[in-house]
Amino acid sequence: MTTDEGGQYGVEEDPYALVLRPAWAPVFLRLANGRRIRMPVRRWHEPPTADDETVLERCVGPVLDVGCGPGRLCRELLSRGVFALGVDIAPRAVALTCAQGGLALCRSVFDRLPAERAWQTILLIDGNIGIGGDPYGLLRRCGGLLAPTGRLVIEAEPEDVEECSAVRYEGPHGRCGPSFPWALLGLQAVHRIAEDLAFDVTDQWTSGHRRFATLMHARIGI
């Protein structure tokens, strides 16, 4: 198995690892309907952008960065004195985060995690609302990780979309990794699912071409 440009990807390789190669070759998310979306791989490896800053300024520690990738957000929060822990299923992502001064665990968000029901902020950025292809299950799990006064900070798709399907990461020359479940949600879908799960959307904003929302546990009867 090789992961260099033009190489073949073994079926046993975690598909997420394809976007963590050191080369800046383009990587796409190939949807079941044939559409493909270019992944912002370079952004994930660089310092936080102005768009990211709008997320960071809304973070109250302790922060759990779900699907942290190379850890640009959790590392930046630590540098500002805000405790932040990343979690990611890809060992390479966790290694990159820790090598650059961050803290991360190689786990799924659905595994047992430290400080359950005590996190003040949980991040689902860079499309990570799609993890597992089941937004209801993911948000329900994150709600169980949050402190009663905690918040979920979510990045939604720029367009109004609600799609759950099997997808693949596609590298150079059309070579693909194995399929995995994923979801794409716009803000309208986020609002609807949040209401179904007794979350309030307490804030939403646009920065550049990116769209975000903050969710908190609904205060029933108040």
Side-chain angles (χ1 to χ4, degrees), residues 56 59 63 73-84 123:
L56 294 169
C59 289
V63 178
L73 299 181
C74 57
R75 288 187 286 109
E76 179 64 22
L77 287 166
L78 279 174
S79 76
R80 299 180 184 191
V82 179
F83 180 81
L123 300 180

Side-chain angles (χ1 to χ4, degrees), residues 43 48-61 63-66 72-74 76-77 80 82 120-127 151-156 203-207 210-214:
R43 186 179 80 211
T49 64
D51 300 339
D52 293 329
E53 183 62 38
T54 68
V55 171
L56 294 169
E57 67 190 13
R58 288 169 166 84
C59 289
V60 176
V63 178
L64 184 67
D65 184 3
V66 176
R72 76 184 189 286
L73 299 181
C74 57
E76 179 64 22
L77 287 166
R80 299 180 184 191
V82 179
Q120 287 294 336
T121 307
I122 295 179
L123 300 180
L124 290 168
I125 305 301
D126 298 323
R151 65 192 69 181
L152 285 168
V153 183
I154 293 171
E155 181 171 0
D203 190 13
Q204 66 180 56
W205 68 100
T206 298
S207 182
R210 299 167 68 189
R211 304 181 74 186
F212 305 91
T214 297

